[in-house]
Amino acid sequence: MTKAIWPEPSDPESMMEAAIDLFGDEAATAVAHCGLEAWTDGRADDFAFWVDIFRSLTGMPSAVAGN
């Protein structure tokens, strides 16, 4: 059995930490690629998940905070 690269995918904090551990200063770029792939695959929920992580990594306000 292979070990997953990412921790539990429903935990944004763990995903942010994993992205930083794996990609360092390029974590936001890596997460943006994940979001782009989700978008082009038509996975709207995954896309929203990655966008929230990207926003956290870059200091942008969450989309939810604006509601």
Side-chain angles (χ1 to χ4, degrees), residues 30-51:
V31 165
H33 282 278
C34 292
L36 182 59
E37 184 174 336
W39 177 260
T40 59
D41 286 347
R43 296 179 284 124
D45 290 342
D46 288 344
F47 174 73
F49 177 79
W50 289 114
V51 166

Side-chain angles (χ1 to χ4, degrees), residues 9-24:
S10 62
D11 179 13
E13 284 296 318
S14 292
M15 293 297 279
M16 258 186 5
E17 290 174 20
I20 292 167
D21 288 346
L22 286 168
F23 301 106

